Amino acid sequence: RMKAEAETKWRSMILLVTAITIHNFPEGLAVGVGFGAVGKSGATFAKARNLAIGIGLQNFPEGLAVSLPLRRVGFSRRKAFFWGQASGMVEPVGGILGSFAVSIVEPILPYALSLAAGAMVYVVVDELVPDAHTSGNPKLATWGCIIGFVVMMTLDVALG
């Protein structure tokens, strides 16, 4: 029974790391397209910078979302930190590709970002929320979601 629980936790961890990594690639594309499109169709450096700041800020909790569960299942601090960072390393690759391929990527960007958002919603609803509620922190998890949403909406309005 313990082995089955450990295997289930391990599969959940792999799903989480994979979903966040997949989620990061279109974010990189978005930033790359933002900077690559400066001077075209109303895109400005300030808008691209604001997009990069917004995505960069939400990358901190994403790294924690990878590192903390890995730490909980026994990874060393160094390895958990490494995998948290590694999950975000696809973002600069997406950014470089996005800036060079702005004319090709721009039309598919809404679909790529929708895929990334869908992957994260699936992982949060299917894995993280139930896990937070069974670990004895349901109110903290709920408040964390609410505060995170409010912060991102405030940044969206403040940064335009």
Side-chain angles (χ1 to χ4, degrees), residues 61 137-151:
N137 297 313
K139 290 196 186 289
L140 180 64
T142 302
W143 279 108
C145 289
I146 292 169
I147 291 168
F149 180 79
V150 169
V151 167

PDB file of all heavy atoms in Angstrom, residues 61 137-151:
ATOM      1  N   PRO A  61       6.286  31.764  -8.224  1.00  0.00           N
ATOM      2  CA  PRO A  61       5.480  30.693  -7.626  1.00  0.00           C
ATOM      3  C   PRO A  61       5.481  29.409  -8.460  1.00  0.00           C
ATOM      4  O   PRO A  61       5.327  28.323  -7.912  1.00  0.00           O
ATOM      5  CB  PRO A  61       4.080  31.292  -7.517  1.00  0.00           C
ATOM      6  CG  PRO A  61       4.084  32.526  -8.337  1.00  0.00           C
ATOM      7  CD  PRO A  61       5.496  32.960  -8.491  1.00  0.00           C
ATOM      8  N   ASN A 137      -4.560  22.047   4.789  1.00  0.00           N
ATOM      9  CA  ASN A 137      -4.422  23.482   4.563  1.00  0.00           C
ATOM     10  C   ASN A 137      -5.462  24.026   3.588  1.00  0.00           C
ATOM     11  O   ASN A 137      -5.134  24.825   2.718  1.00  0.00           O
ATOM     12  CB  ASN A 137      -3.031  23.787   4.001  1.00  0.00           C
ATOM     13  CG  ASN A 137      -1.939  23.427   4.949  1.00  0.00           C
ATOM     14  OD1 ASN A 137      -2.010  23.751   6.126  1.00  0.00           O
ATOM     15  ND2 ASN A 137      -0.926  22.738   4.464  1.00  0.00           N
ATOM     16  N   PRO A 138      -6.729  23.646   3.702  1.00  0.00           N
ATOM     17  CA  PRO A 138      -7.686  24.095   2.678  1.00  0.00           C
ATOM     18  C   PRO A 138      -7.899  25.603   2.664  1.00  0.00           C
ATOM     19  O   PRO A 138      -7.968  26.198   1.607  1.00  0.00           O
ATOM     20  CB  PRO A 138      -8.976  23.361   3.031  1.00  0.00           C
ATOM     21  CG  PRO A 138      -8.842  22.991   4.469  1.00  0.00           C
ATOM     22  CD  PRO A 138      -7.369  22.794   4.700  1.00  0.00           C
ATOM     23  N   LYS A 139      -7.969  26.227   3.830  1.00  0.00           N
ATOM     24  CA  LYS A 139      -8.189  27.681   3.863  1.00  0.00           C
ATOM     25  C   LYS A 139      -6.971  28.431   3.342  1.00  0.00           C
ATOM     26  O   LYS A 139      -7.102  29.385   2.584  1.00  0.00           O
ATOM     27  CB  LYS A 139      -8.540  28.139   5.275  1.00  0.00           C
ATOM     28  CG  LYS A 139      -9.922  27.683   5.717  1.00  0.00           C
ATOM     29  CD  LYS A 139     -10.384  28.461   6.912  1.00  0.00           C
ATOM     30  CE  LYS A 139     -11.678  27.928   7.458  1.00  0.00           C
ATOM     31  NZ  LYS A 139     -12.821  28.170   6.641  1.00  0.00           N
ATOM     32  N   LEU A 140      -5.781  27.984   3.721  1.00  0.00           N
ATOM     33  CA  LEU A 140      -4.555  28.619   3.234  1.00  0.00           C
ATOM     34  C   LEU A 140      -4.451  28.492   1.722  1.00  0.00           C
ATOM     35  O   LEU A 140      -4.113  29.463   1.031  1.00  0.00           O
ATOM     36  CB  LEU A 140      -3.329  27.989   3.903  1.00  0.00           C
ATOM     37  CG  LEU A 140      -1.971  28.543   3.486  1.00  0.00           C
ATOM     38  CD1 LEU A 140      -1.840  30.008   3.880  1.00  0.00           C
ATOM     39  CD2 LEU A 140      -0.864  27.722   4.128  1.00  0.00           C
ATOM     40  N   ALA A 141      -4.759  27.321   1.192  1.00  0.00           N
ATOM     41  CA  ALA A 141      -4.702  27.108  -0.260  1.00  0.00           C
ATOM     42  C   ALA A 141      -5.709  28.005  -0.978  1.00  0.00           C
ATOM     43  O   ALA A 141      -5.387  28.627  -1.999  1.00  0.00           O
ATOM     44  CB  ALA A 141      -4.974  25.642  -0.589  1.00  0.00           C
ATOM     45  N   THR A 142      -6.906  28.100  -0.432  1.00  0.00           N
ATOM     46  CA  THR A 142      -7.938  28.937  -1.050  1.00  0.00           C
ATOM     47  C   THR A 142      -7.537  30.403  -1.006  1.00  0.00           C
ATOM     48  O   THR A 142      -7.638  31.113  -2.011  1.00  0.00           O
ATOM     49  CB  THR A 142      -9.296  28.730  -0.339  1.00  0.00           C
ATOM     50  OG1 THR A 142      -9.638  27.342  -0.427  1.00  0.00           O
ATOM     51  CG2 THR A 142     -10.382  29.579  -0.968  1.00  0.00           C
ATOM     52  N   TRP A 143      -7.071  30.874   0.144  1.00  0.00           N
ATOM     53  CA  TRP A 143      -6.631  32.263   0.251  1.00  0.00           C
ATOM     54  C   TRP A 143      -5.433  32.556  -0.644  1.00  0.00           C
ATOM     55  O   TRP A 143      -5.328  33.644  -1.211  1.00  0.00           O
ATOM     56  CB  TRP A 143      -6.341  32.639   1.708  1.00  0.00           C
ATOM     57  CG  TRP A 143      -7.597  32.981   2.445  1.00  0.00           C
ATOM     58  CD1 TRP A 143      -8.221  32.240   3.402  1.00  0.00           C
ATOM     59  CD2 TRP A 143      -8.402  34.137   2.242  1.00  0.00           C
ATOM     60  NE1 TRP A 143      -9.375  32.856   3.809  1.00  0.00           N
ATOM     61  CE2 TRP A 143      -9.510  34.028   3.121  1.00  0.00           C
ATOM     62  CE3 TRP A 143      -8.323  35.241   1.427  1.00  0.00           C
ATOM     63  CZ2 TRP A 143     -10.511  34.998   3.183  1.00  0.00           C
ATOM     64  CZ3 TRP A 143      -9.324  36.197   1.490  1.00  0.00           C
ATOM     65  CH2 TRP A 143     -10.392  36.078   2.358  1.00  0.00           C
ATOM     66  N   GLY A 144      -4.537  31.597  -0.776  1.00  0.00           N
ATOM     67  CA  GLY A 144      -3.391  31.772  -1.678  1.00  0.00           C
ATOM     68  C   GLY A 144      -3.837  31.971  -3.117  1.00  0.00           C
ATOM     69  O   GLY A 144      -3.314  32.842  -3.825  1.00  0.00           O
ATOM     70  N   CYS A 145      -4.827  31.191  -3.537  1.00  0.00           N
ATOM     71  CA  CYS A 145      -5.376  31.344  -4.895  1.00  0.00           C
ATOM     72  C   CYS A 145      -6.033  32.709  -5.068  1.00  0.00           C
ATOM     73  O   CYS A 145      -5.830  33.382  -6.078  1.00  0.00           O
ATOM     74  CB  CYS A 145      -6.380  30.240  -5.200  1.00  0.00           C
ATOM     75  SG  CYS A 145      -5.631  28.629  -5.433  1.00  0.00           S
ATOM     76  N   ILE A 146      -6.814  33.112  -4.080  1.00  0.00           N
ATOM     77  CA  ILE A 146      -7.510  34.400  -4.167  1.00  0.00           C
ATOM     78  C   ILE A 146      -6.514  35.548  -4.209  1.00  0.00           C
ATOM     79  O   ILE A 146      -6.616  36.450  -5.054  1.00  0.00           O
ATOM     80  CB  ILE A 146      -8.496  34.570  -2.986  1.00  0.00           C
ATOM     81  CG1 ILE A 146      -9.649  33.578  -3.137  1.00  0.00           C
ATOM     82  CG2 ILE A 146      -9.009  36.005  -2.894  1.00  0.00           C
ATOM     83  CD1 ILE A 146     -10.531  33.464  -1.905  1.00  0.00           C
ATOM     84  N   ILE A 147      -5.535  35.523  -3.320  1.00  0.00           N
ATOM     85  CA  ILE A 147      -4.534  36.600  -3.277  1.00  0.00           C
ATOM     86  C   ILE A 147      -3.727  36.632  -4.570  1.00  0.00           C
ATOM     87  O   ILE A 147      -3.475  37.707  -5.131  1.00  0.00           O
ATOM     88  CB  ILE A 147      -3.627  36.454  -2.036  1.00  0.00           C
ATOM     89  CG1 ILE A 147      -4.453  36.742  -0.777  1.00  0.00           C
ATOM     90  CG2 ILE A 147      -2.414  37.378  -2.121  1.00  0.00           C
ATOM     91  CD1 ILE A 147      -3.766  36.355   0.526  1.00  0.00           C
ATOM     92  N   GLY A 148      -3.330  35.473  -5.071  1.00  0.00           N
ATOM     93  CA  GLY A 148      -2.596  35.412  -6.340  1.00  0.00           C
ATOM     94  C   GLY A 148      -3.397  36.000  -7.489  1.00  0.00           C
ATOM     95  O   GLY A 148      -2.873  36.753  -8.316  1.00  0.00           O
ATOM     96  N   PHE A 149      -4.694  35.667  -7.537  1.00  0.00           N
ATOM     97  CA  PHE A 149      -5.558  36.207  -8.578  1.00  0.00           C
ATOM     98  C   PHE A 149      -5.659  37.726  -8.472  1.00  0.00           C
ATOM     99  O   PHE A 149      -5.549  38.444  -9.471  1.00  0.00           O
ATOM    100  CB  PHE A 149      -6.943  35.564  -8.487  1.00  0.00           C
ATOM    101  CG  PHE A 149      -7.906  36.069  -9.522  1.00  0.00           C
ATOM    102  CD1 PHE A 149      -7.852  35.594 -10.817  1.00  0.00           C
ATOM    103  CD2 PHE A 149      -8.863  37.025  -9.192  1.00  0.00           C
ATOM    104  CE1 PHE A 149      -8.731  36.068 -11.781  1.00  0.00           C
ATOM    105  CE2 PHE A 149      -9.747  37.498 -10.148  1.00  0.00           C
ATOM    106  CZ  PHE A 149      -9.687  37.027 -11.448  1.00  0.00           C
ATOM    107  N   VAL A 150      -5.856  38.232  -7.260  1.00  0.00           N
ATOM    108  CA  VAL A 150      -5.984  39.674  -7.053  1.00  0.00           C
ATOM    109  C   VAL A 150      -4.691  40.389  -7.445  1.00  0.00           C
ATOM    110  O   VAL A 150      -4.724  41.434  -8.114  1.00  0.00           O
ATOM    111  CB  VAL A 150      -6.387  39.992  -5.591  1.00  0.00           C
ATOM    112  CG1 VAL A 150      -6.251  41.476  -5.284  1.00  0.00           C
ATOM    113  CG2 VAL A 150      -7.806  39.520  -5.321  1.00  0.00           C
ATOM    114  N   VAL A 151      -3.548  39.827  -7.062  1.00  0.00           N
ATOM    115  CA  VAL A 151      -2.257  40.446  -7.421  1.00  0.00           C
ATOM    116  C   VAL A 151      -2.099  40.506  -8.938  1.00  0.00           C
ATOM    117  O   VAL A 151      -1.723  41.543  -9.502  1.00  0.00           O
ATOM    118  CB  VAL A 151      -1.080  39.686  -6.765  1.00  0.00           C
ATOM    119  CG1 VAL A 151       0.253  40.109  -7.366  1.00  0.00           C
ATOM    120  CG2 VAL A 151      -1.070  39.923  -5.260  1.00  0.00           C
TER     121      VAL A 151
END
